[in-house]
Amino acid sequence: MSESPSPSLHEASPEASTSPLDNIVIVLSGTQHPGNIGSAARAMMTMGLMQLRLVNPHRFPHEQATAMASGAQSVLDSAQLFESLEAAVADCAFVVGSSSRRRYLGDEPLSPAETASVLLETAGAAESAAPVALVFGCERTGLTAEELDRCHRLTTIPSNPVYPSLNLAAAVQLLCWELRRAAIAPPKISLKEDPGYMNGRFGPPTAEQMEQFYEHLERVLLGTGFLDPRNPRLLTRRLRQLFNRARPDTNELNILRGILKSVERPKKRTPRVKPGPAAGPEAGG
């Protein structure tokens, strides 16, 4: 009697049903070695993450990627290719970049556990709308300064400071494990995070919507003279970090855009006059 074929990893995975993990994408930017793409795909699939996006890989598709995927071919087959990180995360509500590079602007990097928590929280709130992204740079140089600016927050794996070198696929595996570990914990759901509450008005905006806001903000600041066009870089980066830290929801972002529009095209409004006290009999004498 012949045995029936065993199910594939994807078929056997509990993530076949709806899960916040389904709304998380892994982005690899400028990957140099195709084997690392395959190994990353394998690391993803073992933790239940299936969405891979590739930004300008040096060689893909490639037989080394297929070989190193070791059964996770479905992740490679469905991988999406992009020409820039901006395009790859344009539809994402929250973006975390993985980097070992020390930065002197912005917040302290998130720990892997904190990264998993915030990504799953946002993915759960946006599961009917926008995905969230975890981004990794190329093996040799990591994410560029411009790519880091596209991330809402950064995360760092606390490796040995004497020898911090970590293989790309190993970094993907560690952070994907943190995501899975957090995903199987009891969920924390608030009313505001419910995608059905108030027709999603309080959901997180996409990265594209945030970029439109930053462009609008810069245009207004240039118009008022607050921003010096000869040296705008430091101010605009600090403003990005401020709003990335604040994480305004869609409703709040619309309010901010409305404020900017009112600066561009001020409206004259008649002040509301408060009624005075009712007239009474005069005091006689």
Side-chain angles (χ1 to χ4, degrees):
M1 181 176 178
S2 62
E3 295 181 357
S4 58
S6 59
S8 67
L9 276 173
H10 185 47
E11 291 169 341
S13 170
E15 275 68 44
S17 59
T18 302
S19 162
L21 291 176
D22 297 335
N23 214 28
I24 298 175
V25 299
I26 303 298
V27 183
L28 305 183
S29 180
T31 311
Q32 297 172 310
H33 304 293
N36 284 334
I37 297 175
S39 295
R42 180 180 183 181
M44 289 170 57
M45 192 165 182
T46 57
M47 295 299 144
L49 291 105
M50 304 298 296
Q51 296 193 64
L52 176 62
R53 298 182 182 183
L54 303 174
V55 178
N56 290 325
H58 286 215
R59 289 173 289 169
F60 185 82
H62 196 276
E63 59 184 11
Q64 290 183 9
T66 299
M68 296 303 293
S70 187
Q73 185 64 35
S74 58
V75 176
L76 297 181
D77 290 341
S78 61
Q80 296 176 280
L81 297 177
F82 296 86
E83 294 184 356
S84 68
L85 180 60
E86 179 181 3
V89 301
D91 63 334
C92 295
F94 196 67
V95 182
V96 177
S98 176
S99 176
S100 61
R101 186 182 306 167
R102 187 173 181 83
R103 302 191 84 200
Y104 296 96
L105 288 175
D107 300 329
E108 285 292 315
L110 298 170
S111 69
E114 291 170 332
T115 299
S117 177
V118 71
L119 284 174
L120 283 168
E121 178 184 344
T122 311
E127 58 187 358
S128 64
V132 298
L134 180 57
V135 183
F136 299 84
C138 78
E139 301 90 329
R140 186 171 58 86
T141 58
L143 294 170
T144 66
E146 289 73 20
E147 288 175 326
L148 291 171
D149 283 343
R150 297 291 175 186
C151 302
H152 293 90
R153 294 294 300 272
L154 302 181
T155 185
T156 297
I157 296 171
S159 54
N160 182 359
V162 178
Y163 186 68
S165 177
L166 192 63
N167 176 266
L168 173 60
V172 173
Q173 183 77 82
L174 282 168
L175 288 168
C176 286
W177 156 239
E178 289 289 352
L179 285 165
R180 183 168 187 81
R181 188 165 69 97
I184 61 179
K188 297 179 181 179
I189 300 295
S190 68
L191 185 61
K192 192 173 179 180
E193 293 166 2
D194 183 351
Y197 178 64
M198 295 291 288
N199 295 320
R201 286 176 56 199
F202 296 100
T206 65
E208 184 176 24
Q209 290 171 323
M210 288 302 298
E211 287 303 319
Q212 291 169 351
F213 165 69
Y214 292 136
E215 291 171 5
H216 194 176
L217 177 61
E218 183 173 349
R219 184 170 69 246
V220 170
L221 295 180
L222 285 168
T224 62
F226 184 83
L227 179 61
D228 183 354
R230 295 167 299 180
N231 187 28
R233 192 172 185 80
L234 189 60
L235 176 61
T236 54
R237 278 192 172 181
R238 289 190 181 278
L239 288 172
R240 276 178 174 270
Q241 289 157 2
L242 186 154
F243 287 107
N244 285 341
R245 182 168 64 249
R247 295 182 62 194
D249 60 36
T250 302
N251 189 53
E252 292 165 338
L253 191 65
N254 288 336
I255 292 172
L256 291 170
R257 294 293 299 272
I259 293 172
L260 294 176
K261 287 180 182 178
S262 73
V263 174
E264 290 178 312
R265 297 185 294 274
K267 294 181 179 180
K268 291 184 178 181
R269 298 186 184 272
T270 303
R272 181 179 296 176
V273 179
K274 295 182 179 180
E282 296 181 359

